[in-house]
Amino acid sequence: MEPRSPRRRTAAVLAALTAFAALTALTATQAQATPTQDVITPATQFYVDPHSKAAQQAVADVRDGDLVNALNMAKLASWPQAEWFTEGTPEEVRAKVSSLVRRARAVGRTPVLVAYNVPGRDCTQYSSGGAASSAAYRQWIDAFAAGIGTGKALVVVEPDGTALLPKDCGPATDPTGELTAARIADLAYAVKTLKAKPRTAVYLDAGNVQWRPVGEIAQRLLDAGVRGSDGFALNVSNTHPTEHNARYGTWIATCMWYATAGPAEARGHAERCADQYYSAAAPNDGAPGNAVSSADPSTWHWTDAWYDQNVGTPPADELAHFVIDTSRNGLGAWTPEPGKYSGDPEIWCNAPGRGLGPRPTADTGVPLVDAYLWVKIPGESDGSCTRNTGGSIDPEYGIVDPPAGTWWPDQAHSLARNAAPRLTFNR
């Protein structure tokens, strides 16, 4: 077979882009005839922005003659991704949220939104910022909720908000605990306000499987009002495997039940729950495999054993549900070469060589997992990572990484190229 000429290859990619546009229009027409639901169910279809950054990148790649990447970007653009709201006046956020909800409603789809504006977010790190005060934040949340109105929406509330409290930012950040108490109250306000909307699903962020111990994050979620929401969110902007987060999330849900509805002696004692770091059910005698290791999921059966022995099987309808961000975890977490970095290599920050993970869907087939979502927009930078080398260059890329939230074509191309499972058009 003769190789395709550049003209024929270009025509093929343009045909694919045209097909994608036709597919989007057809899906919209069909969706308008589908009765809407009031909750997230396996039948829920999430909104796809036809003008996403990936769609724009596909056009740019065609113009540059980069046809392979153009096709991958067209495929990426066919899948739903979250839209982040990180700043602006109350009037501005209300208008932007309302516009998104209206566009999604017009095609019978559910948009995924991220509220990310809590005061002191990210401990002044790469994604620092947020509202100037609790009062300002609550006005912003009021406006966010007003923008949703009676429309359908799924909202992920404040990535890192519970896992990175002000008291975690360093001993000098919150010596009195006042800022941490305010954060918890602000999150609870956001959950209550957003959930008051009749067709809004709310998931409070809870970090990821390699961060807070189960009991610790369970208590933080409870303090921040998670019981008034649809559940919690895991793995936002991270690369840990889906199945690891699903197991972690199930432990969290079970621990919260144990500490609130379990035996009388367990009430208020989430800290007793086994986790990804320790289980009292394990021998813990120093023999290989006889203690829980967060880095070795084969040892997590000891954690499961603790729940079997101490919690049993709670009623399924009394357990919190959760969603998992799969936007970058197709190949799992990145591990740098041993000894390459003397400090924290920031494995979460623009991890190199990663790939898109499971496609966004509300039909996960996994108990308690309401959806796999692409919460972190594939192709947006985490920030100007330095791997704690003291310079400004990211040694993994040999450049100064783009600021947090900036579109980075090379990263988008890499994620699409390395997708697992292989990237296809959303049909």
Side-chain angles (χ1 to χ4, degrees):
M1 178 181 294
E2 294 183 358
R4 290 186 176 184
S5 68
R7 180 175 297 177
R8 291 178 63 190
R9 288 197 302 271
T10 301
V13 173
L14 289 174
L17 291 170
T18 301
F20 163 58
L23 174 64
T24 301
L26 177 61
T27 301
T29 301
Q30 293 174 336
Q32 288 173 356
T34 303
T36 58
Q37 303 290 328
D38 289 330
V39 295
I40 301 299
T41 73
T44 297
Q45 297 291 311
F46 298 113
Y47 176 66
V48 177
D49 180 3
H51 306 294
S52 68
K53 293 177 181 178
Q56 296 174 44
Q57 187 63 49
V59 174
D61 288 338
V62 168
R63 290 173 177 166
D64 292 341
D66 188 351
L67 307 182
V68 172
N69 280 326
L71 183 58
N72 272 339
M73 289 299 96
K75 293 175 181 177
L76 171 58
S78 73
W79 292 95
Q81 302 165 44
E83 184 160 337
W84 289 58
F85 298 84
T86 64
E87 60 185 3
T89 66
E91 293 75 16
E92 289 169 341
V93 75
R94 184 201 58 76
K96 290 179 180 178
V97 168
S98 178
S99 176
L100 174 59
V101 172
R102 283 200 310 270
R103 296 196 306 271
R105 177 189 287 166
V107 294
R109 297 299 176 95
T110 299
V112 179
L113 302 83
V114 180
Y116 190 53
N117 195 37
V118 75
R121 73 180 185 215
D122 203 33
C123 288
T124 71
Q125 297 183 91
Y126 300 125
S127 296
S128 62
S133 66
S134 289
Y137 179 67
R138 295 182 185 207
Q139 292 174 355
W140 190 87
I141 285 292
D142 288 343
F144 194 113
I148 295 174
T150 59
K152 292 195 71 175
L154 186 159
V155 183
V156 175
V157 176
E158 299 299 341
D160 301 346
T162 60
L164 193 60
L165 295 173
K167 69 179 182 180
D168 304 317
C169 299
T173 301
D174 189 23
T176 67
E178 181 179 355
L179 295 178
T180 293
R183 166 70 62 79
I184 293 295
D186 287 341
L187 293 175
Y189 183 87
V191 167
K192 181 179 180 180
T193 302
L194 292 166
K195 192 57 193 169
K197 294 303 169 182
R199 305 172 76 197
T200 299
V202 178
Y203 296 88
L204 179 59
D205 190 75
N208 63 73
V209 64
Q210 292 297 325
W211 203 344
R212 299 293 172 191
V214 171
E216 182 179 12
I217 198 65
Q219 189 59 57
R220 292 183 181 197
L221 288 170
L222 290 169
D223 292 343
V226 73
R227 283 178 289 181
S229 73
D230 294 87
F232 52 95
L234 294 175
N235 209 44
V236 173
S237 301
N238 225 297
T239 59
H240 299 294
T242 303
E243 59 271 22
H244 294 185
N245 280 285
R247 204 159 171 185
Y248 178 60
T250 301
W251 293 335
I252 294 172
T254 307
C255 180
M256 289 196 295
W257 183 90
Y258 169 79
T260 57
E265 64 273 14
R267 307 290 174 85
H269 291 289
E271 79 280 356
R272 296 178 181 173
C273 295
D275 55 44
Q276 69 274 42
Y277 302 106
Y278 175 79
S279 169
N284 296 308
D285 59 7
N290 277 2
V292 177
S293 169
S294 65
D296 183 4
S298 72
T299 67
W300 293 359
H301 66 92
W302 295 119
T303 302
D304 293 330
W306 185 91
Y307 286 98
D308 290 342
Q309 295 167 14
N310 294 274
V311 186
T313 305
D317 62 353
E318 295 182 16
L319 293 176
H321 287 217
F322 55 98
V323 297
I324 300 175
D325 184 357
T326 61
S327 61
R328 300 190 292 182
N329 72 347
L331 300 181
W334 167 63
T335 303
E337 300 171 14
K340 184 174 183 179
Y341 298 109
S342 58
D344 179 7
E346 301 175 325
I347 64 171
W348 56 271
C349 195
N350 294 330
R354 300 305 87 194
L356 298 166
R359 303 301 100 90
T361 180
D363 188 10
T364 69
V366 180
L368 304 186
V369 181
D370 285 350
Y372 300 141
L373 303 172
W374 285 356
V375 180
K376 173 69 175 184
I377 298 174
E380 285 195 358
S381 175
D382 290 320
S384 301
C385 319
T386 64
R387 319 291 165 192
N388 283 287
T389 56
S392 60
I393 300 293
D394 184 343
E396 292 299 321
Y397 298 95
I399 62 170
V400 176
D401 297 349
T406 302
W407 179 253
W408 189 359
D410 287 348
Q411 187 188 85
H413 293 153
S414 179
L415 288 169
R417 184 169 55 250
N418 296 330
R422 184 176 61 86
L423 188 58
T424 60
F425 279 106
N426 180 17
R427 300 186 185 281

